[in-house]
Amino acid sequence: MSKDMPAFIQLLEKADNFTLRRAVERLREGLFDPFGVSLLTARENQLNSVFDQGAQDLAKNKSTHLCVCGSYGQGKSHSLTYLRQRALQQGFVVSSINLDPREVPMHDFGQVYRALVQQISFPDSDDSLVKVWEQWSKGGDTKQLKGKKANPLSVIPECIPHVFKAVLTALANDNMQLSRRQKGLKKHAAFRPREFPWILTNALNGNSPPVVRLRQALKYREVSFYKEQSLVCRGWEPYFALVRGLGLMFQQMGYKGWVLLFDEAEAIAQTRINVRRKSYAILQRFFCPEEPLHGLYPVFAFTDDFFATVKGEDYERSDTRGEAEQPYFAENYAKAWRRLNIHDLHDLSSREWQTLAEKLIHVHAKAYNWQPKPGELQEQLTATLKETGAQEARLKIKALVNQLDFVQQGVVLG
């Protein structure tokens, strides 16, 4: 019996039938299931160790990152799903997205930010970023500020761009109080309090509502400084600064920070060279920041092909479009990224597959309430593993579940 089997049995005993059947059904389809991930993750001690080291560095106000590397089907997405659960358990805010170049391309960081906010999860709430911020700033849940006599708005970092700083302030304020007579005046014709939550929510989510309407919302939410700078965001830099600032803000709100999980990040290397160099520049800000990224813990899933492409780029190439010749790439990223924090995934050993098959027998038996013969069934699953050979892990698991279905049907039908 493997060392983690007692903990596995304990977790299995607590699970209800619906959760287990859903996990088995998703494994049967070759899909991920959050509970299945918590039950069937192999080498979790290694993954825990490397993630926790980054969390400890973050607690010491050091910048950190993690690259989970492996071939297709070796469990990168599974590992990120596992890390998502672990980060939430440890008190991190978590966002998990796929860097699909057609929908969420890395070089368009405004789109990346919108996806991160859309997929955000808090450890103690299912609410959105806007709701959590409103509840925290208005609800008096500010024990972290003890002794400072500061209002909750003091947790908004200086590095957050002006427009988002104004929006966060407006969301924490109530509408201006106007009398019935004042509401009838022409100068308050733009006072439409029902619109303000929608406008402010879209602004914080990165959807850029019309500036005129945003300005009116800020005015009637009594944001004193909104006229000091432009309310327009251009380029990717403001969105990166916002992500950086929100990581620090979450820490000051009492969370451990913001874990950003980027799956399929190797897609960056499959884009055109003019797009790749923009994406590399953004990655450089995550991997080798000029200033510490307080509260921000980025985790990327790459295949080895990505780093082969980075190594093979022509860093001697010049950009001749301007008056002065400049290097096409801002850095030699092959050199700059030689010391990244990389966690390599490897194929499971035959012994680890045997342990996984044994766990699957327990899960399937409890899900469908039947009594297998473990020794005999283990031999059948071993034969299935030999037949599936070097297939992807999820396909091998799918084959094991199908074999368990077949045996269970035989038992039921006699």
Side-chain angles (χ1 to χ4, degrees):
M1 178 182 289
S2 67
K3 293 179 181 177
D4 63 340
M5 192 57 84
F8 163 79
I9 295 294
Q10 191 176 12
L11 184 60
L12 187 63
E13 291 299 325
K14 293 179 181 176
D16 61 77
N17 189 261
F18 172 79
T19 303
L20 287 172
R21 286 198 179 196
R22 185 184 60 187
V24 174
E25 286 170 8
R26 289 187 175 176
L27 291 172
R28 189 182 290 125
E29 297 298 324
L31 302 174
F32 293 108
D33 178 80
F35 190 71
V37 168
S38 63
L39 280 174
L40 303 171
T41 297
R43 298 172 182 165
E44 56 185 305
N45 289 338
Q46 296 175 22
L47 201 54
N48 290 345
S49 176
V50 71
F51 177 80
D52 291 353
Q53 182 59 54
Q56 290 170 18
D57 289 341
L58 206 64
K60 296 175 184 173
N61 290 325
K62 297 179 182 177
S63 294
T64 190
H65 65 268
L66 177 61
C67 300
V68 178
C69 294
S71 304
Y72 291 108
Q74 276 193 321
K76 297 186 297 299
S77 299
H78 179 104
S79 298
L80 261 58
T81 304
Y82 177 82
L83 292 179
R84 179 183 182 278
Q85 295 175 356
R86 187 165 183 83
L88 287 170
Q89 288 168 358
Q90 292 188 0
F92 283 96
V93 180
V94 180
S95 291
S96 179
I97 64 171
N98 287 349
L99 288 176
D100 184 337
R102 294 163 299 183
E103 297 182 1
V104 189
M106 189 64 173
H107 71 278
D108 183 358
F109 204 74
Q111 185 61 35
V112 172
Y113 169 74
R114 287 187 281 277
L116 289 171
V117 172
Q118 192 175 11
Q119 297 298 323
I120 201 166
S121 297
F122 291 85
D124 52 357
S125 168
D126 294 328
D127 289 329
S128 65
L129 169 61
V130 168
K131 288 292 181 189
V132 169
W133 169 245
E134 284 183 327
Q135 290 167 6
W136 187 88
S137 58
K138 293 180 179 178
D141 187 16
T142 55
K143 295 177 182 176
Q144 301 76 250
L145 303 177
K146 56 186 176 184
K148 290 187 177 180
K149 293 182 179 180
N151 69 51
L153 299 180
S154 65
V155 303
I156 301 175
E158 283 299 317
C159 62
I160 286 186
H162 173 75
V163 57
F164 297 109
K165 204 182 298 179
V167 170
L168 286 167
T169 303
L171 286 167
N173 292 344
D174 294 322
N175 292 328
M176 182 186 292
Q177 294 296 315
L178 297 179
S179 66
R180 181 172 296 180
R181 187 185 68 81
Q182 287 174 315
K183 290 177 184 176
L185 297 177
K186 186 177 180 181
K187 69 175 184 178
H188 292 304
F191 182 72
R192 303 187 187 96
R194 290 184 181 179
E195 286 187 359
F196 299 157
W198 180 85
I199 293 170
L200 296 173
T201 297
N202 274 282
L204 187 58
N205 290 347
N207 293 322
S208 302
V211 173
V212 174
R213 296 172 72 183
L214 176 59
R215 193 178 294 123
Q216 292 163 356
L218 297 176
K219 173 185 174 183
Y220 288 107
R221 285 293 178 98
E222 300 188 90
V223 179
S224 60
F225 57 87
Y226 77 92
K227 291 182 180 177
E228 294 176 2
Q229 295 180 34
S230 170
L231 298 177
V232 177
C233 274
R234 291 191 174 88
W236 63 269
E237 295 269 1
Y239 292 100
F240 189 90
L242 176 58
V243 169
R244 177 186 162 211
L246 286 178
L248 177 57
M249 192 180 87
F250 291 148
Q251 267 193 336
Q252 297 185 7
M253 289 170 66
Y255 300 105
K256 285 198 171 181
W258 192 8
V259 173
L260 311 177
L261 300 169
F262 297 100
D263 200 1
E264 300 181 11
E266 67 274 4
I268 292 170
Q270 298 163 4
T271 54
R272 297 191 305 273
I273 188 169
N274 60 326
V275 174
R276 289 204 302 275
R277 72 169 180 170
K278 293 179 184 175
S279 300
Y280 291 160
I282 297 171
L283 285 177
Q284 175 73 358
R285 297 284 289 276
F286 279 117
F287 293 150
C288 308
E290 295 178 356
E291 298 178 13
L293 300 177
H294 298 299
L296 208 59
Y297 193 166
V299 180
F300 295 87
F302 292 113
T303 61
D304 293 332
D305 293 341
F306 171 78
F307 290 105
T309 302
V310 172
K311 191 176 180 181
E313 299 286 11
D314 180 9
Y315 294 106
E316 301 298 324
R317 178 174 177 169
S318 298
D319 187 349
T320 57
R321 289 179 301 175
E323 293 181 0
E325 226 178 72
Q326 294 180 343
Y328 193 77
F329 293 99
E331 300 261 354
N332 184 330
Y333 299 109
K335 288 183 179 178
W337 298 347
R338 280 184 299 188
R339 295 185 177 179
L340 296 184
N341 187 18
I342 294 177
H343 175 70
D344 283 314
L345 298 175
H346 302 284
D347 290 332
L348 298 184
S349 66
S350 59
R351 186 173 180 179
E352 288 169 327
W353 272 114
Q354 292 289 342
T355 302
L356 187 61
E358 184 182 355
K359 289 181 177 177
L360 267 178
I361 293 173
H362 286 284
V363 173
H364 196 282
K366 189 164 190 297
Y368 295 100
N369 193 27
W370 64 294
Q371 298 294 326
K373 298 177 180 176
E376 182 181 330
L377 193 50
Q378 190 81 32
E379 289 180 9
Q380 294 180 29
L381 295 187
T382 301
T384 302
L385 287 171
K386 287 182 180 176
E387 290 172 5
T388 49
Q391 288 185 10
E392 292 181 16
R394 63 188 177 90
L395 297 180
K396 295 177 82 167
I397 292 173
K398 184 177 177 181
L400 292 175
V401 173
N402 288 337
Q403 180 64 27
L404 287 168
D405 288 340
F406 179 75
V407 175
Q408 185 245 351
Q409 287 298 313
V411 171
V412 171
L413 298 175

